[in-house]
Amino acid sequence: MAGWGDDPVMADLQEAIADGWEPVAIREEAGPPGGPYDVVTVRKGDEQREFRSDHLAFHRFVEGLMEDYGLAYA
């Protein structure tokens, strides 16, 4: 798992949520390189996007999303 520094994926996810995208699913993936990865699926209207990162700060942010949106790892 990557360290605590800046995570551009987390910044993109935070921006998407601020723009009205809603987290609808969270899962964990294993796999090289790195890992495990947290994967967050967001939806806005009929569109969906995924954000995937093995960064520790992203993982902590995802834990907060699970609490805020009533989600769990699928």
Side-chain angles (χ1 to χ4, degrees):
M1 187 170 279
W4 274 105
D6 291 339
D7 181 12
V9 176
M10 186 172 77
D12 290 345
L13 175 56
Q14 289 170 322
E15 184 177 315
I17 291 170
D19 286 340
W21 291 81
E22 181 177 349
V24 294
I26 296 173
R27 70 179 189 277
E28 187 176 63
E29 286 182 358
Y37 294 91
D38 287 301
V39 182
V40 178
T41 303
V42 296
R43 181 181 305 146
K44 186 176 184 182
D46 293 333
E47 294 181 69
Q48 284 191 352
R49 296 172 61 189
E50 284 191 345
F51 295 85
R52 178 179 184 263
S53 177
D54 68 342
H55 201 281
L56 185 56
F58 187 82
H59 176 73
R60 297 292 183 228
F61 182 70
V62 167
E63 288 177 335
L65 290 179
M66 289 191 293
E67 187 174 314
D68 292 347
Y69 289 89
L71 299 171
Y73 284 115

